[in-house]
Amino acid sequence: MAKLNFQQTCISLPNGAQGVLAQAPHLTRAHVSIAIAAGYLDEPRTLPGLAHLLEHVLTTAPLEASSNISLLTWFAQHQGSLNAHTDDYVTDVHFSIPAETLESAALTVASQLARPAFSPSIICAEVAAIDAEWQARQHSSAMQRLSAIATLSDPQHIGAGCRHGNAQTLGSDMALLLEALTAFHRDHYHGGRVSIAIISPWAAETMARLIKRMATLFSPPTPSAPSLAITPRWSHLPHAKIARTGNAVELLWPLPSAVARHQLTALGDTADRLNQGFLVAQLPDSITDYRATLAPSGATDTFSLTLSGTATQEQLTALAGTLSERLAAFFATLLGTAPNDHDNRWQPPADTLQLAPAWFAHARRQALARRFATPPSEHQPVASPFAASNARWLLDNASPSPSSPAFDAFDRQPAAYPAVQHWCGQYGVSDDFAALATTAWAACFVPGAVIVPSPLTARRLALQAIVFKQEDSPHGSWVIAMGSQANHAMVALLEDAVLAASKAQQGLLAQQLIQRLTPMPAEPVVWVSHNTDAAAVCHALANLASRVAIHAEQPPPASLPTSTAIMRTLSLPGTPSQRLLLALAEQHHSAAFFQQARYDHHLGYVAAVRRGDGAPCSLGYVVQTSNAGQVSNMGEISKDAGSAGGTPIAEKRIAEKLRSITDTLWKTSDSVLQAQLPTLIPPETPLAALALQWQSLLAGTHQPLHRLGQQRIDSQALTNLLSQVNTLGHWRTHWLDSAGHYFVSD
């Protein structure tokens, strides 16, 4: 199957701003990134987290046209979504919006970034939010990785400290922070550092005009503006150790501080080629997977190769030398090839589900490129960064020996094979993407376990032009293989795979709770596009699923500080109209819930409304707090040490406040929920079309939400639907803490 690719156009503007655009006629939403070439490593040494704080303030401060609406609220009210990210050399604000609202959204965001209004009250609130984020994330593998990367830096370099920021590093002097934010914004948020990227169904000429209008809102750089040059930060230490991040090793090759654009393109092509399986033969048996990345988050001045599996220090030293030689050869070959139109086309990775995250990553790469770029005429050969002596690595302290399994494997039992539910056919996915009419695929699901493919399966399938996707959840694990001979490939995959007990979930506790919203079947399931070899796929899955768990539960870590996520859910049977109602409620409740839970009542860093689609369908309102005893509940909660019903009193009060907020939202639904359908977003890639249909089948329905039609809901129908919330709706409250304790009550 042909890969998606899009013609792109690059723009340079008089004030120094740059733009890139791509037309995708099949999209219904536009995806836009405004990236600023400034990040953690550009901020004052004495204020770690200042760049991160500015990102927060920009997205939550009132807009110029409204004293009580922020960017986050504006997008929630206009059926869009907005987020921001601060990395070490780039900060970006990115958003998705219905295409018909693109112009006003783009100009609103650009105006806010170019001419924000700072206030001490907003700064104070965002310091607290950053501190709550720090508390929620400080023991995550991502934060541990950032700390380990810092240990690889020259001790004298600003990068030798973790720059996320918290209440202690930012302090409580709001006047000082206001002055520092104003200066940092003036020095860095100007046209000479701005990169704007848009992909949408609009015509290229129309997008180009919009980019120019956005860019003119930014001032040109001042004569005293800091240089874009990157100061090398890597010391001569060969490696650092990092604990509790799983069985993985990340090899890093620092890049020169000045790299021409064509050299960066070759490095990007090197990563793409490696991810298509071209490194399989060079890796030892103990390596189960790998991922090559140019400019990974947190170490964007490096080329990264993350290896899943195990290796001793001696093996790693030898492997670093071997891989350095291989990467140097790849790089030299691609650097020496004749120029092509690569720069004029954008091709998302083959396993991309939605275009937005891939496009935003592409936009960050464009912003980073200008920090590396040397003059265009400078095309003389450069030394390869892939020297064995140049390699650094992050090694898991707690990795087991190479002979130890990465999972608790299931043992095969002589029991009868379980029944396998089986679907065959397209189920309308070719209506979403016509290319799927001639594409083969196979998908398999196992409940209550993780499918562990044989080592390097995804890369080996990529060499066969087969796209592989896997998703694990508390409900089970599923895999999809898409491409010619998909059924045959799936049989081979299942025959070589093993089942494993579910690993400890990753991510914030609130994210782990949200994963529980969507129902999944209790038996193994197969979905194939063609009957050829379908019986063999079912047999192979039944064979795999007949393995039962005999492992003992591992006790949760007891050393982490208490953090609790609380979610209130509404469940309905899942008729099409009820599914649409919950989609409508998710859209209209998000902004109000975020405002009340996070800002009005300070219930924690996380405050989100999310939906689980299926039969039954669910809507979840989730918050997370790092220390329930420190959360303000109308000024009444202090450090409660007591408990009620096995749940601390403070958490009970948070749950009560959560109930109060959600009840209020639904009581005012007649005025908040409009008599119209939400924007139903169709899939943006063929793989997404398959995944949406597959998830719909697993959740007990046959039609994904976006294919239920666009008919209007009249007032009487809406009233009838709202009455079902009280008559058919089932409300529950879920608790999950950092020790792994999970509790549900009605």
Side-chain angles (χ1 to χ4, degrees):
M1 178 178 173
K3 296 179 181 178
L4 288 175
N5 67 83
F6 305 93
Q7 184 74 30
Q8 70 176 14
T9 302
C10 297
I11 304 170
S12 294
L13 299 164
N15 67 347
Q18 295 182 355
V20 60
L21 59 92
Q23 185 186 26
H26 74 287
L27 295 184
T28 62
R29 296 169 77 79
H31 306 306
V32 183
S33 169
I34 303 179
I36 310 295
Y40 291 131
L41 302 186
D42 295 297
E43 62 197 14
R45 184 179 296 273
T46 56
L47 283 175
L50 185 70
H52 190 195
L53 176 61
L54 178 56
E55 170 224 306
H56 271 245
V57 171
L58 289 170
T59 56
T60 59
L63 301 177
E64 184 178 8
S66 175
S67 61
N68 58 0
I69 295 180
S70 67
L71 281 179
L72 291 172
T73 304
W74 191 96
F75 274 83
Q77 293 175 348
H78 289 81
Q79 302 184 15
S81 61
L82 176 139
N83 210 334
H85 176 73
T86 303
D87 215 321
D88 44 6
Y89 290 109
V90 173
T91 297
D92 69 302
V93 176
H94 48 265
F95 60 89
S96 298
I97 196 76
E100 59 271 19
T101 318
L102 169 58
E103 181 176 6
S104 63
L107 294 175
T108 297
V109 177
S111 178
Q112 177 73 344
L113 298 191
R115 299 190 297 264
F118 300 137
S119 72
S121 61
I122 293 294
I123 295 171
C124 182
E126 291 313 312
V127 169
I130 284 178
D131 191 66
E133 181 181 353
W134 167 259
Q135 298 296 336
R137 297 181 184 273
Q138 65 174 316
H139 293 281
S140 67
S141 59
M143 291 300 291
Q144 290 178 12
R145 173 180 172 273
L146 285 179
S147 295
I149 287 173
T151 68
L152 291 175
S153 301
D154 187 313
Q156 304 305 311
H157 192 275
I158 192 173
C162 186
R163 311 292 297 185
H164 178 283
N166 54 53
Q168 183 176 357
T169 67
L170 291 167
S172 58
D173 188 335
M174 293 302 113
L176 171 65
L177 285 178
L178 175 58
E179 181 181 353
L181 286 173
T182 302
F184 190 83
H185 182 272
R186 179 193 64 239
D187 291 342
H188 297 89
Y189 279 63
H190 56 70
R193 290 177 178 258
V194 172
S195 298
I196 301 170
I198 302 177
I199 186 169
S200 82
W202 283 20
E205 297 81 4
T206 308
M207 283 189 281
R209 286 195 297 269
L210 178 58
I211 287 177
K212 292 175 182 177
R213 290 180 62 192
M214 296 166 66
T216 57
L217 296 172
F218 291 88
S219 302
T222 63
S224 60
S227 168
L228 281 166
I230 293 175
T231 303
R233 60 168 161 170
W234 302 101
S235 72
H236 297 292
L237 294 175
H239 63 84
K241 292 187 176 182
I242 179 170
R244 296 189 305 277
T245 60
N247 302 308
V249 173
E250 184 175 7
L251 292 159
L252 299 169
W253 285 268
L255 302 178
S257 57
V259 183
R261 185 174 289 272
H262 77 287
Q263 295 157 358
L264 276 178
T265 299
L267 286 167
D269 289 345
T270 299
D272 293 341
R273 291 275 301 275
L274 296 181
N275 290 332
Q276 291 305 304
F278 288 91
L279 202 58
V280 166
Q282 280 69 45
L283 296 174
D285 293 340
S286 61
I287 301 302
T288 59
D289 200 5
Y290 70 84
R291 184 78 182 181
T293 309
L294 171 61
S297 179
T300 54
D301 49 355
T302 68
F303 187 98
S304 167
L305 187 64
T306 301
L307 306 174
S308 300
T310 56
T312 64
Q313 183 106 3
E314 293 74 16
Q315 290 173 321
L316 188 56
T317 302
L319 186 58
T322 301
L323 291 177
S324 293
E325 293 180 6
R326 184 65 174 169
L327 291 175
F330 263 122
F331 178 59
T333 300
L334 293 173
L335 195 61
T337 57
N340 53 39
D341 67 346
H342 177 91
D343 281 343
N344 295 324
R345 305 204 66 85
W346 175 63
Q347 185 176 80
D351 61 354
T352 297
L353 285 174
Q354 294 297 332
L355 290 180
W359 180 252
F360 299 150
H362 177 60
R364 283 192 290 272
R365 180 83 56 83
Q366 298 294 311
L368 185 65
R370 69 191 309 181
R371 302 206 64 167
F372 282 113
T374 54
S377 60
E378 190 177 334
H379 283 259
Q380 70 270 23
V382 295
S384 169
F386 300 114
S389 60
N390 200 28
R392 278 85 165 146
W393 57 80
L394 304 179
L395 178 64
D396 177 13
N397 262 347
S399 292
S401 67
S403 61
S404 300
F407 299 87
D408 293 323
F410 282 44
D411 283 355
R412 183 184 301 280
Q413 300 295 315
Y417 291 161
V420 174
Q421 188 173 357
H422 173 218
W423 294 296
C424 181
Q426 293 216 349
Y427 287 87
V429 293
S430 59
D431 295 336
D432 296 326
F433 271 90
L436 291 172
T438 57
T439 301
W441 64 81
C444 295
F445 169 79
V446 174
V450 173
I451 299 172
V452 183
S454 61
L456 301 172
T457 290
R459 309 304 163 197
R460 297 181 195 279
L461 290 176
L463 288 173
Q464 305 171 41
I466 292 177
V467 177
F468 172 79
K469 194 74 175 180
Q470 178 167 0
E471 183 171 304
D472 303 327
S473 76
H475 306 284
S477 178
W478 60 256
V479 292
I480 288 181
M482 179 176 68
S484 179
Q485 303 296 314
N487 286 0
H488 176 75
M490 182 61 76
V491 170
L493 185 158
L494 294 174
E495 288 179 345
D496 290 341
V498 297
L499 284 188
S502 298
K503 295 186 294 183
Q505 288 182 262
Q506 300 296 312
L508 295 176
L509 296 176
Q511 294 169 329
Q512 297 176 31
L513 273 185
I514 288 169
Q515 289 181 340
R516 301 173 185 267
L517 284 173
T518 303
M520 288 290 178
E523 66 280 339
V525 180
V526 166
W527 177 36
V528 294
S529 56
H530 298 83
N531 267 320
T532 306
D533 293 327
V537 175
C538 291
H539 180 79
L541 182 63
N543 185 12
L544 180 65
S546 66
R547 307 171 188 183
V548 297
I550 60 172
H551 72 285
E553 289 288 338
Q554 296 295 318
S559 59
L560 295 182
T562 300
S563 183
T564 304
I566 304 174
M567 180 171 67
R568 192 172 188 225
T569 60
L570 167 66
S571 296
L572 289 166
T575 65
S577 60
Q578 291 168 352
R579 294 167 64 196
L580 289 171
L581 173 66
L582 293 193
L584 192 59
E586 177 188 38
Q587 173 181 293
H588 284 275
H589 287 177
S590 290
F593 180 77
F594 182 87
Q595 176 66 39
Q596 293 180 46
R598 181 167 172 181
Y599 291 108
D600 295 350
H601 302 299
H602 307 287
L603 297 187
Y605 165 65
V606 177
V609 183
R610 294 291 184 268
R611 176 173 42 86
D613 192 43
C617 55
S618 298
L619 193 65
Y621 303 79
V622 63
V623 297
Q624 179 174 334
T625 176
S626 297
N627 188 329
Q630 296 177 353
V631 175
S632 168
N633 183 7
M634 302 299 288
E636 296 176 359
I637 295 183
S638 58
K639 293 186 177 179
D640 290 306
S643 63
T647 304
I649 291 175
E651 295 174 11
K652 283 284 190 181
R653 291 180 181 173
I654 294 173
E656 291 170 2
K657 181 55 64 177
L658 186 61
R659 175 190 294 265
S660 173
I661 295 172
T662 53
D663 285 349
T664 301
L665 287 174
W666 279 98
K667 285 177 183 176
T668 59
S669 292
D670 285 305
S671 60
V672 176
L673 293 177
Q674 305 301 314
Q676 60 184 10
L677 290 180
T679 300
L680 302 179
I681 306 171
E684 298 182 342
T685 66
L687 184 58
L690 286 183
L692 285 173
Q693 179 62 56
W694 174 228
Q695 290 166 333
S696 185
L697 291 170
L698 291 175
T701 69
H702 285 78
Q703 286 288 327
L705 188 64
H706 71 274
R707 278 199 253 129
L708 291 183
Q710 294 284 356
Q711 69 274 14
R712 295 179 62 85
I713 301 178
D714 59 37
S715 298
Q716 184 58 49
L718 180 60
T719 299
N720 293 339
L721 282 174
L722 292 173
S723 69
Q724 295 178 12
V725 173
N726 295 322
T727 58
L728 300 175
H730 184 196
W731 288 95
R732 307 176 82 190
T733 302
H734 308 244
W735 284 268
L736 178 65
D737 66 23
S738 52
H741 303 124
Y742 176 58
F743 175 71
V744 182
S745 64
D746 290 332

